[in-house]
Amino acid sequence: ANLGSGCRITATTFETEADHSSRFVGSAAAVAGLRAAGARVAHGVDATELAGTLPNYAQGPFDRIIFQFPQHPERRKINKHRELLRLFFTNAVEQLGAHGEILVSLCKGQGGTAAEAAEKRGKDTWQVQDAAAEAGLILRSVQPCPVAPLAALGYERTGFRGQGLRGSNAEVYQDKAFNSDGSLTHIFCRESSGAVAAFPLHWSHDISFWTLEAFREEDFHHVVTEACGVGVEPVLTLLDQYVSPEGRRARTYRIAVCADKRAISRSSWQRLCESMRQRMAAVGAAPRQGGEGRHEEEQPRREERPASEASCGGEGRS
């Protein structure tokens, strides 16, 4: 049994073997020890392009994929970190076994889930849950990262970079460990596993439309439910009703969902909302801003528009 556990382990580095050996003291000895214990070691592996950079002998499927404290080289650009996570999840899920899980450990405050000790605005976090949902993954649980037990097994945190690094010294890495206090390990699985999200994403969308004589709220609710699909139970709230001087009637609803069993990211929620709009005509609802092929006179004039505007996209929180 490899490493005495019965598991087959593949360890990877982003750097080539030569670069990794020159950058980290003890690299060669660690690699030799892993290989002697039966583990596979692969260098030059890009987490955002696993299929193309993992050697044939190291390809999945894997029962567990671990990404420990990832960070984009352009560390001050939060959008780069989000993109790194999004690309990683998209690639990792292709290497994951049917019942496997993906673990991502992040420093305090980076993940942006409700498990954080202190709440931060979504725009100030890496939005790890949204990135994973884009790949069809659900956040099954969040646990404190076991830094101390890992350290007892020989794990070292290096690569701390101080403030003010610019230009020539931007690639300077120190042996000093970065601060891991409050760090969390996020555990994801496929939505098809039947797991319930530990901290479900909540999305909402306000939609305003003219109602025709054939409109019935029950039919509208059915259309919304059908657009959302299996595993999502939308809640409709009537926010406003409006009658124009010409007698045209309009309504504004808020559609809210709790994604506890489905992986619904911000972008996929926006696509679901667009699907709802495309189905509305069948139940006697004419969108305030008509779709392709509608006549101009069918659109509300500026002075006729319903009191509440339709929002663009949704708002999410974890």
Side-chain angles (χ1 to χ4, degrees):
N2 294 325
L3 299 179
S5 66
C7 297
R8 292 185 178 274
I9 295 177
T10 299
T12 67
T13 69
F14 177 69
E15 300 85 359
T16 64
E17 186 166 7
D19 288 343
H20 195 270
S21 180
S22 63
R23 175 175 160 184
F24 296 103
V25 177
S27 169
V31 169
L34 285 169
R35 286 174 171 158
R40 297 174 294 189
V41 179
H43 296 280
V45 177
D46 186 344
T48 67
E49 196 179 343
L50 291 174
T53 57
L54 272 173
N56 290 334
Y57 67 82
Q59 293 282 334
F62 297 102
D63 294 321
R64 179 175 293 176
I65 298 175
I66 302 172
F67 203 6
Q68 196 77 340
F69 298 110
Q71 180 165 287
H72 192 278
E74 297 184 62
R75 64 191 183 101
R76 289 184 175 82
K77 296 183 178 180
I78 197 168
N79 62 305
K80 295 289 187 179
H81 298 304
R82 293 173 184 165
E83 182 69 0
L84 169 63
L85 290 176
R86 187 187 68 79
L87 291 174
F88 162 69
F89 284 121
T90 300
N91 278 262
V93 77
E94 295 179 355
Q95 300 286 331
L96 191 66
H99 304 289
E101 58 187 18
I102 296 176
L103 284 69
V104 178
S105 295
L106 297 173
C107 292
K108 179 180 179 180
Q110 290 178 342
T113 71
E116 298 286 352
E119 184 178 356
K120 297 177 68 174
R121 295 179 299 178
K123 68 177 185 178
D124 296 328
T125 74
W126 294 10
Q127 301 175 0
V128 64
Q129 197 168 356
D130 187 66
E134 192 69 16
L137 298 167
I138 282 182
L139 180 62
R140 181 162 62 188
S141 66
V142 182
Q143 303 172 3
C145 183
V147 176
L150 287 174
L153 295 173
Y155 173 71
E156 295 181 9
R157 295 169 289 112
T158 61
F160 173 84
R161 291 189 285 178
Q163 298 294 325
L165 293 181
R166 294 290 188 276
S168 61
N169 65 343
E171 294 300 320
V172 175
Y173 294 82
Q174 303 178 25
D175 289 334
K176 180 181 177 182
F178 55 84
N179 185 4
S180 63
D181 293 345
S183 58
L184 298 173
T185 297
H186 308 78
I187 304 174
F188 298 91
C189 62
R190 298 179 187 274
E191 65 177 1
S192 59
S193 68
V196 177
F199 304 101
L201 288 170
H202 294 260
W203 301 104
S204 66
H205 178 65
D206 294 350
I207 185 168
S208 184
F209 52 85
W210 299 113
T211 58
L212 308 179
E213 291 185 6
F215 177 80
R216 293 174 62 247
E217 186 174 275
E218 295 82 358
D219 296 334
F220 178 57
H221 189 280
H222 176 74
V223 162
V224 171
T225 302
E226 189 177 61
C228 288
V230 178
V232 179
E233 298 181 3
V235 176
L236 271 61
T237 303
L238 180 62
L239 300 180
D240 187 35
Q241 297 187 71
Y242 170 79
V243 180
S244 74
E246 292 79 11
R248 299 186 69 187
R249 297 180 179 276
R251 291 189 173 201
T252 298
Y253 284 90
R254 174 160 296 156
I255 304 169
V257 300
C258 172
D260 58 346
K261 298 178 182 177
R262 281 268 303 279
I264 301 179
S265 64
R266 178 182 296 276
S267 59
S268 60
W269 171 242
Q270 291 172 343
R271 290 192 293 270
L272 286 177
C273 291
E274 180 58 30
S275 177
M276 297 173 199
R277 287 182 174 277
Q278 294 175 356
R279 299 166 185 247
M280 287 169 52
V283 294
R288 188 177 57 81
Q289 295 180 346
E292 182 179 353
R294 290 188 177 278
H295 297 293
E296 183 64 26
E297 60 267 22
E298 292 183 355
Q299 310 309 314
R301 296 192 301 271
R302 185 176 299 275
E303 65 272 19
E304 290 182 344
R305 65 185 179 186
S308 298
E309 297 284 339
S311 67
C312 296
E315 289 297 327
R317 62 183 185 278
S318 59

